[in-house]
Amino acid sequence: MSARRYPIFFALVALALLAGCGSSGSGSSTTATIDRNIQSGVKDALGASTSTTAAVPTSMDGWEALWAKERSAIVNRIKSNGWGKTADGKKVVGPEGYSMDLTKCPAGWQDTEGLTDKSIKVGFTGPLSGTLADVGNNMRLLDAMLKYENAHGGFTDSTGKTRQAQVVMRDDAYDPSRTIPLVDELLDSEKVFAIGTIGTPNQVKVFGKINQRCVPHPAISGHSSVGDPVGHPWTLSSSISYTSEAILLGQFVEERLDAEFGGKAKVAVLYFSNDFGTAFDSGFRSFISSSKRGGDFQYITQVIESNASTITDAMTTIAAQKPNVFIAAVAGTACTQAVNESAQNGMKEQVKYKFLDSACKASGVKPLTLGAAMENWYAVGGGYRDLFAPASDTDPWMLWARQMLKDAGIDYKSSTSFNSALFYMWPWIQALKIADDLPGGLTRTNFDLAFRAMDMTHPHLYPGIKFNMNGNKDAFFVEGSDITRWDGPKQAWAVENVIDVSGRTKPCLWDETTNKCN
């Protein structure tokens, strides 16, 4: 393999690390299943060209025109295939065999609950306090986007109703035990149209109930369970699965065993004691056991609580074992602590490859405040472009986003989470507009179907990374990413590469009794 092709794999790694964004809690350590489809995609990509030449609009008028055209194509596809609620009202059908049995919805269920002729009420739980409080700014970003839409005419559907939208936000402090009663409140008291959640363990605790109640649930999580269009059709994913993350990282190390690591490699991972962490650990171990070079891996781990005030002991233990590769699979303040601790314990110079996951890049680390400690760090970026970069000062989408936040009374520089939030919340707006144009107008079932059939150009992703879902066949919006390296002299993230393997991740049929995909 040529040196020029190495960055392609780095970018593939980012596909899965995106899945770790927003995790907290505890989970199972059941053995993961290796996704051979992703593995073959990795090998295909390793031999591909590194260039991306996809064109993007150069003005917001251009973006709006493109999105209108793409939404129209989605609506036409749904109509021409006869997808949607059946004439008897008993089920919803969609792409690639997708269906929802509405007869299983609870008595009194309404397709338009949370709507009036003039309003849309959605609910969201996430951390507004605690060590991961900054991640709660995802909710504030959705609120700001909806306020922008409200100020520019609101949401008008095919029945002629024009509505203003609002977000009911609840603080769960990233604690799943608090998420449960807050979701109950949103369902039973607030009677919201749809519910968003932040964090994998939070999602795992409530998505069964939300699906039983037949309420749309776009979750900020990449856990395998959110990619289950058959068993949990009301929950919608945001990224690739944790198991696939482990495959990608394992393959990255395997490709370098001889050329860079002398035939054997020691990989150290710091991860949270949560569903993301245990799924990652299980997936990586499964990759090693399936690899012909598995005996050449030495895999060491340190586990921390997501609310830990310090990670010094864990990082000191890792440093003493002198790994070849270090991965910080964490979020929030632990990201900054990992960078600082590595500078103090010698890992900065001794460890050849040091990675921050996409959660860290999106909301957990501010490179400019870390100075020389950031040198020689890589980050997987989840495919997101950078709201804060000087290069964004003339970008129409970034300028729009900054002004939209300013109009809502928010300084875009006040939270790094606004960057990832632009990725997560943009499809909410598009799904509302697609559902508006479907027969019957805005309903819960049309909103869900809009996501399942969405195929659009996301303005916050690097050109060349697809953003799509396809019913029962493709349950993950994003299967592409970038890999960046912190350029100290330029004080900016330098993009090494961008790649996409859309459609490669197999959907999951989640078994809540065994806590794994069947």
Side-chain angles (χ1 to χ4, degrees):
M1 181 188 302
S2 70
R4 176 62 183 136
R5 288 179 177 173
Y6 285 166
I8 300 178
F9 195 92
F10 274 120
L12 281 167
V13 172
L15 301 179
L17 284 178
L18 172 60
C21 183
S23 300
S24 173
S26 61
S28 169
S29 59
T30 53
T31 301
T33 300
I34 294 297
D35 189 336
R36 300 297 180 186
N37 202 33
I38 283 289
Q39 207 162 18
S40 67
V42 169
K43 293 180 179 179
D44 290 345
L46 284 171
S49 169
T50 62
S51 63
T52 57
T53 57
V56 296
T58 57
S59 69
M60 279 308 295
D61 286 343
W63 275 116
E64 293 288 358
L66 174 61
W67 298 333
K69 180 179 179 180
E70 292 175 337
R71 290 195 302 267
S72 178
I74 295 165
V75 170
N76 289 337
R77 181 184 176 215
I78 291 172
K79 289 180 177 179
S80 64
N81 283 284
W83 297 332
K85 190 184 292 185
T86 56
D88 60 10
K90 292 184 178 181
K91 67 177 181 178
V92 174
V93 296
E96 301 293 336
Y98 178 75
S99 67
M100 296 189 292
D101 185 353
L102 300 181
T103 66
K104 294 182 179 180
C105 296
W109 175 83
Q110 296 179 21
D111 208 3
T112 56
E113 188 165 76
L115 303 179
T116 70
D117 287 351
K118 295 183 178 181
S119 67
I120 307 166
K121 181 163 63 172
V122 301
F124 227 113
T125 66
L128 294 171
S129 60
T131 57
L132 294 175
D134 189 76
V135 180
N137 281 305
N138 281 271
M139 298 187 288
R140 293 191 174 106
L141 191 283
L142 177 60
D143 184 61
M145 286 186 119
L146 291 176
K147 287 176 178 177
Y148 174 88
E149 295 294 334
N150 292 342
H152 290 79
F155 298 87
T156 301
D157 75 4
S158 59
T159 69
K161 296 182 176 68
T162 298
R163 299 181 172 96
Q164 300 276 291
Q166 69 172 109
V167 185
V168 179
M169 290 180 273
R170 293 291 183 264
D171 176 19
D172 63 16
Y174 240 70
D175 180 350
S177 67
R178 291 178 58 173
T179 307
I180 296 170
L182 292 176
V183 165
D184 288 340
E185 178 189 346
L186 293 172
L187 289 170
D188 299 326
S189 300
E190 296 291 345
K191 298 185 182 299
V192 295
F193 174 75
I195 291 178
T197 57
I198 299 175
T200 290
N202 313 70
Q203 165 255 317
V204 168
K205 289 292 186 182
V206 298
F207 83 135
K209 176 186 296 184
I210 294 174
N211 274 264
Q212 290 169 6
R213 297 289 292 271
C214 297
V215 176
H217 176 214
I220 298 182
S221 169
H223 194 258
S224 299
S225 60
V226 301
D228 179 11
V230 175
H232 295 84
W234 295 92
T235 295
L236 300 144
S237 76
S238 52
S239 57
I240 204 167
S241 72
Y242 302 146
T243 304
S244 297
E245 170 185 348
I247 296 170
L248 296 170
L249 283 168
Q251 188 71 36
F252 158 69
V253 177
E254 185 175 289
E255 291 291 333
R256 289 159 174 74
L257 282 174
D258 296 324
E260 299 189 45
F261 302 133
K264 294 182 181 293
K266 184 183 294 184
V267 180
V269 177
L270 176 73
Y271 65 83
F272 285 153
S273 58
N274 55 36
D275 291 278
F276 162 56
T278 53
F280 177 89
D281 177 55
S282 174
F284 204 95
R285 293 179 190 277
S286 295
F287 174 86
I288 293 173
S289 67
S290 71
S291 171
K292 293 180 180 179
R293 301 291 302 272
D296 296 324
F297 283 77
Q298 184 178 353
Y299 179 53
I300 60 175
T301 62
Q302 284 291 305
V303 186
I304 59 170
E305 296 293 330
S306 62
N307 61 355
S309 60
T310 179
I311 64 172
T312 300
D313 289 347
M315 290 292 290
T316 299
T317 300
I318 289 174
Q321 299 188 60
K322 301 186 183 303
N324 304 109
V325 178
F326 170 68
I327 303 162
V330 293
T333 57
C335 305
T336 297
Q337 290 175 344
V339 174
N340 283 327
E341 291 290 342
S342 72
Q344 295 173 22
N345 63 26
M347 286 175 59
K348 178 179 179 294
E349 291 77 22
Q350 295 169 6
V351 180
K352 186 166 187 178
Y353 291 107
K354 299 177 295 296
F355 291 99
L356 294 172
D357 67 9
S358 61
C360 286
K361 187 181 177 188
S363 62
V365 66
K366 295 181 179 180
L368 291 175
T369 68
L370 294 171
M374 274 298 299
E375 290 291 342
N376 299 317
W377 275 88
Y378 284 86
V380 289
Y384 315 148
R385 298 195 293 129
D386 191 353
L387 175 67
F388 312 101
S392 296
D393 291 348
T394 57
D395 181 276
W397 161 253
M398 299 298 187
L399 292 175
W400 175 88
R402 293 173 181 181
Q403 186 63 47
M404 177 268 299
L405 284 165
K406 182 178 180 180
D407 292 344
I410 299 171
D411 178 1
Y412 78 92
K413 295 180 180 179
S414 63
S415 170
T416 54
S417 288
F418 290 136
N419 198 54
S420 59
L422 286 165
F423 164 75
Y424 288 119
M425 301 310 170
W426 178 83
W428 278 73
I429 305 301
Q430 303 307 315
L432 286 169
K433 292 185 176 183
I434 293 166
D436 273 339
D437 290 338
L438 293 174
L442 183 60
T443 62
R444 284 171 162 172
T445 52
N446 279 344
F447 185 61
D448 183 278
L449 183 59
F451 279 103
R452 295 294 178 186
M454 192 178 291
D455 187 353
M456 298 186 69
T457 306
H458 200 308
H460 208 60
L461 293 174
Y462 283 103
I465 297 179
K466 295 180 180 179
F467 185 83
N468 52 25
M469 220 182 260
N470 191 21
N472 283 355
K473 186 176 181 180
D474 184 357
F476 294 92
F477 264 135
V478 171
E479 295 164 81
S481 193
D482 62 296
I483 174 67
T484 55
R485 174 185 53 81
W486 183 249
D487 187 327
K490 293 184 178 180
Q491 294 289 280
W493 290 105
V495 178
E496 296 279 317
N497 215 300
V498 175
I499 200 166
D500 181 80
V501 289
S502 181
R504 292 277 188 170
T505 307
K506 294 178 182 178
C508 164
L509 183 59
W510 187 252
D511 187 334
E512 293 187 43
T513 61
T514 61
N515 202 31
K516 66 179 182 179
C517 297
N518 286 332

